[in-house]
Amino acid sequence: MENILSQEEIDALLSGLESGKIDTTPEKPEEGKVKPFDFRNFAISTRLKIPGIDVINDALARALRLSFSTMLREMVDMINIPTQMERFRDFLNKIPVPTSIHIFKLEPLKGNSLLIIDAPLVFVFVERFLGGGERKIVKVEGREFTPIEQKLIKRVVDMIFLELEKAWKNVYPVKPKYIRGEVNPQFARVLQPEETVLVTGFNLEMETISGKILFCYSLSSLQPIKDKLYSPYQIEEVIDSKWRRSLEQIILNSEVSLRALLGKGKITLGDLIHLKEGDVILLEKKSEEPIEIQVEDTPKMQGKMGVFKRHLAIQIEKFVTFQEE
């Protein structure tokens, strides 16, 4: 409360401004404090909203959440990381050593991309593949992945690429092609240091450990399909062909009630009581008029009465349209 001006101080301040006693001229910057701006070396770190990338990430997160939970035998949560644009060199400088780095291409697009898996996640996958249960704290710094660990983590990478290809189908069909794996980011300089890249991915969270899975795409390689990436997309789920055929078979084998309505008529209750064999009931339809065929009590077809192989039958002449229903 000590920094609040009293009414007398406020009046004195306003009076000084009106009389000119208080100088309101902005101060000039002191010499030596203004720094030149280098347009070639400035850092980029901007969050982006790209509808196409969001569609891909949403589909990929759903698929990987289920696959990782099955693979690790525990519930895994996948949290989307906002898409960012930055310099390739700045991105590499933030990657620790060791890290599971995998270089790949999105054919038919040009240029290379990176898949980054944090080292703690690598050790969790390797431990579960080898039958381990209780998670142990592994010292990450100062060591590299063994050939066995690299071979086992390649199984995870192949699974990620399989789901990545399915997720991209909603936007643009691509085929991830694996090139090589690295541990040190200094050997993963597959793009120019000043090249702009899109960085997106997920934060994978488990009960006692978490880590990131990142994708680094070259902005120039995505340039030919930028119209598709920035267009509003409807998420189209990939339908399993076997499931679709099975569902179609069940629907086609479903039984429905079918009846033909010869006509309608009205009589009094007294006439109904006195009916006997040989009496005739007049219907509201002539004999030459088409007969209405109902499916589950809904008019669907029209036909004419006849005989087929000594059985009473109806020959379909017309299907009833929605307006006629």
Side-chain angles (χ1 to χ4, degrees):
M1 301 296 290
E2 297 178 356
N3 296 328
I4 298 178
L5 298 178
S6 63
Q7 187 60 45
E8 292 78 6
E9 291 173 328
I10 295 175
D11 294 339
L13 178 61
L14 294 176
S15 177
L17 291 174
E18 292 178 357
S19 61
K21 294 180 179 180
I22 299 178
D23 188 9
T24 59
T25 304
E27 296 182 359
K28 295 182 180 180
E30 298 181 10
E31 187 177 355
K33 288 189 176 182
V34 178
K35 296 182 180 180
F37 185 83
D38 190 347
F39 285 93
R40 295 174 300 177
N41 298 321
F42 74 99
I44 297 178
S45 183
T46 306
R47 289 190 177 185
L48 301 175
K49 187 69 175 178
I50 304 178
I53 297 297
D54 294 340
V55 169
I56 295 169
N57 287 346
D58 290 341
L60 187 57
R62 289 195 301 271
L64 293 182
R65 182 182 295 111
L66 179 60
S67 299
F68 286 160
S69 298
T70 304
M71 186 179 296
L72 298 174
R73 302 188 299 276
E74 70 172 278
M75 290 302 299
V76 176
D77 194 13
M78 304 283 294
I79 301 176
N80 288 17
I81 297 175
T83 302
Q84 290 191 339
M85 180 176 66
E86 55 185 316
R87 299 292 188 198
F88 182 60
R89 69 172 184 187
D90 297 332
F91 172 71
L92 285 183
N93 290 337
K94 294 186 292 186
I95 299 177
V97 180
T99 298
S100 185
I101 306 172
H102 303 274
I103 304 168
F104 67 99
K105 296 174 68 72
L106 284 178
E107 297 182 340
L109 300 178
K110 297 181 180 180
N112 295 319
S113 303
L114 297 181
L115 167 64
I116 312 295
I117 304 177
D118 281 354
L121 296 180
V122 173
F123 295 124
V124 171
F125 282 112
V126 170
E127 178 185 336
R128 293 304 173 90
F129 286 150
L130 297 178
E134 183 179 356
R135 189 178 296 109
K136 299 179 182 179
I137 299 176
V138 180
K139 183 179 180 181
V140 177
E141 295 79 7
R143 59 157 291 185
E144 293 186 357
F145 302 126
T146 65
I148 295 179
E149 291 171 339
Q150 292 178 356
K151 189 173 183 179
L152 291 175
I153 200 61
K154 181 61 166 52
R155 294 170 52 185
V156 180
V157 174
D158 291 340
M159 185 267 293
I160 293 176
F161 284 164
L162 179 63
E163 299 299 340
L164 182 66
E165 181 180 355
K166 295 178 181 179
W168 267 86
K169 284 184 179 179
N170 297 323
V171 178
Y172 185 81
V174 296
K175 178 75 174 179
K177 180 182 179 182
Y178 188 82
I179 298 178
R180 70 176 191 273
E182 297 289 351
V183 177
N184 193 321
Q186 298 298 323
F187 302 115
R189 298 184 178 276
V190 293
L191 301 174
Q192 294 297 324
E194 301 301 322
E195 189 167 350
T196 305
V197 295
L198 290 181
V199 180
T200 185
F202 315 96
N203 192 31
L204 193 149
E205 295 186 354
M206 290 172 280
E207 185 177 355
T208 58
I209 196 171
S210 64
K212 290 183 174 62
I213 296 179
L214 300 177
F215 294 91
C216 175
Y217 302 112
S218 169
L219 191 62
S220 60
S221 66
L222 300 179
Q223 191 70 16
I225 60 171
K226 65 177 182 178
D227 293 339
K228 295 182 178 294
L229 293 176
Y230 280 95
S231 299
Y233 288 93
Q234 296 291 333
I235 299 178
E236 299 178 1
E237 297 292 343
V238 178
I239 300 177
D240 187 357
S241 59
K242 293 183 179 179
W243 175 84
R244 182 172 183 171
R245 288 195 298 268
S246 177
L247 182 60
E248 289 177 349
Q249 194 66 26
I250 293 174
I251 294 176
L252 293 177
N253 290 334
S254 300
E255 294 185 357
V256 294
S257 64
L258 184 70
R259 68 176 182 175
L261 187 62
L262 299 179
K264 297 179 181 179
K266 294 181 180 180
I267 60 174
T268 64
L269 183 58
D271 293 337
L272 178 63
I273 294 175
H274 294 93
L275 283 177
K276 58 183 182 295
E277 291 185 20
D279 289 344
V280 177
I281 300 176
L282 295 178
L283 303 179
E284 298 176 348
K285 181 179 292 186
K286 297 180 180 180
S287 59
E288 63 271 14
E289 293 182 6
I291 297 173
E292 182 181 277
I293 304 172
Q294 297 181 351
V295 179
E296 296 292 340
D297 299 327
T298 302
K300 290 297 181 182
M301 297 165 281
Q302 292 181 352
K304 64 179 180 179
M305 196 75 174
V307 178
F308 180 77
K309 295 182 179 181
R310 299 183 180 180
H311 292 277
L312 292 176
I314 297 178
Q315 186 178 40
I316 299 174
E317 294 183 328
K318 178 184 177 183
F319 286 89
V320 180
T321 62
F322 179 76
Q323 288 80 4
E324 291 173 335
E325 292 182 30

